[in-house]
């Protein structure tokens, strides 16, 4: 059974940093691209960042470019999101999502975690 | 930059009725479009990929169609569990969602 479990969310002041983690199990982690998608309270979905299976291809939404860094550790079956210079508008539930394409990236997200809440407020 | 526009914003129907949800892209995306369902307090679930292919375990009452700029998600006969928010997606872009509510 595929499982994605996010952690690391919490309340943080504007301008500070936070690191999210996603622990994956139930599939061959290093075969698939992975993504972070967020959802502000009461709002829609926003893709944040994605990383290919071998970290060779990485992308970011314009809203987080230069502030967030995605990474993965295939030996630990883990995905990360380092978030710096946080703003109030980064407040959201952050989901880890698995790409459905083997060894490539289709941007179709077939499995999602339950999310970790990040609240940016003073 | 591709923009996805979903309509209507809210759709009020009764169980057993047919639901038709629309997603329009600002430029052609070929058939590279997905649909997701999200229920309150839950993560999104992939329903349709490549515009018309049902994801694993998705009931046959869900179907997708379209190509280029105009896409449709159809639920042939609504079940009580189908009332939720539906999003279309093309790579890094999501539509704003359609809320399907019970009439």
């Amino acid at each position: 059974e595929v499982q994605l479990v996010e952690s690391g969310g919490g309340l943080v002041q504007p301008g500070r940093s936070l690191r999210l983690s996603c622990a994956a199990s139930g599939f061959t982690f290093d075969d698939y691209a992975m993504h972070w998608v967020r959802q502000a309270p009461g709002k829609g979905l926003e893709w944040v960042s994605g990383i290919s299976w071998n970290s060779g291809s990485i992308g970011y939404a314009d809203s987080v470019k230069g502030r967030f860094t995605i990474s993965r550790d295939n030996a630990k079956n883990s995905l990360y999101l380092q978030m710096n210079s946080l703003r109030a508008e980064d407040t959201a539930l952050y989901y880890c999502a698995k790409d459905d394409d083997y060894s490539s990236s289709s941007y179709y997200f077939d499995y999602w975690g339950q999310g970790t809440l990040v609240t940016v407020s003073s | 930059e591709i923009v996805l526009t979903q309509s209507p914003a809210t759709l009020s129907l009764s169980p057993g009725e047919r639901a038709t949800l629309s997603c329009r892209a600002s430029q052609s995306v070929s058939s590279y479009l997905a649909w997701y369902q999200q229920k309150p307090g839950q993560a999104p679930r992939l329903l349709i990929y490549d515009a018309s292919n049902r994801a694993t375990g998705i009931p046959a009452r869900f179907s997708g169609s379209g190509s280029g700029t105009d896409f449709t998600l159809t639920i042939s006969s609504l079940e009580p569990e189908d009332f939720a928010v539906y999003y279309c997606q093309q790579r890094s872009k999501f539509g704003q969602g359609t809320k399907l509510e019970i009439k």
Side-chain angles (χ1 to χ4, degrees), chain A residues 4-122:
Chain A
L4 299 170
V5 180
E6 303 93 337
S7 61
L11 175 62
V12 61
Q13 293 179 327
R16 304 298 290 265
S17 299
L18 209 57
R19 189 194 196 206
L20 305 184
S21 299
C22 171
S25 61
F27 66 102
T28 305
F29 182 73
D30 55 11
D31 276 347
Y32 293 91
M34 297 293 296
H35 302 264
W36 289 99
V37 178
R38 70 184 180 183
Q39 187 169 35
K43 302 297 184 182
L45 301 171
E46 180 187 17
W47 176 83
V48 173
S49 182
I51 185 168
S52 63
W53 66 276
N54 63 351
S55 305
S57 178
I58 287 175
Y60 299 98
D62 287 344
S63 58
V64 307
K65 201 171 293 183
R67 300 187 299 123
F68 290 11
T69 302
I70 192 171
S71 62
R72 63 190 296 162
D73 185 336
N74 288 344
K76 294 183 177 179
N77 288 350
S78 293
L79 176 72
Y80 306 101
L81 186 68
Q82 177 67 42
M83 304 186 296
N84 298 333
S85 304
L86 282 162
R87 306 167 179 167
E89 54 265 36
D90 295 318
T91 294
L93 186 64
Y94 284 73
Y95 292 105
C96 165
K98 172 186 167 292
D99 198 287
D100 85 330
D101 198 2
Y102 174 81
S103 80
S104 182
S105 181
S106 66
Y107 280 76
Y108 295 143
F109 310 143
D110 59 350
Y111 289 94
W112 299 62
Q114 284 305 302
T116 186
L117 182 62
V118 173
T119 303
V120 184
S121 174
S122 54

Side-chain angles (χ1 to χ4, degrees), chain B residues 28-77:
Chain B
S28 177
V29 299
S30 186
S31 294
Y32 299 119
L33 189 103
W35 290 93
Y36 296 84
Q37 176 194 66
Q38 187 178 32
K39 298 179 182 179
Q42 295 186 17
R45 176 173 70 148
L46 178 65
L47 298 175
I48 301 287
Y49 65 95
D50 286 345
S52 61
N53 294 311
R54 273 191 302 277
T56 302
I58 301 304
R61 64 181 182 273
F62 291 91
S63 63
S65 63
S67 65
T69 61
D70 291 304
F71 300 87
T72 300
L73 174 70
T74 302
I75 310 172
S76 59
S77 179

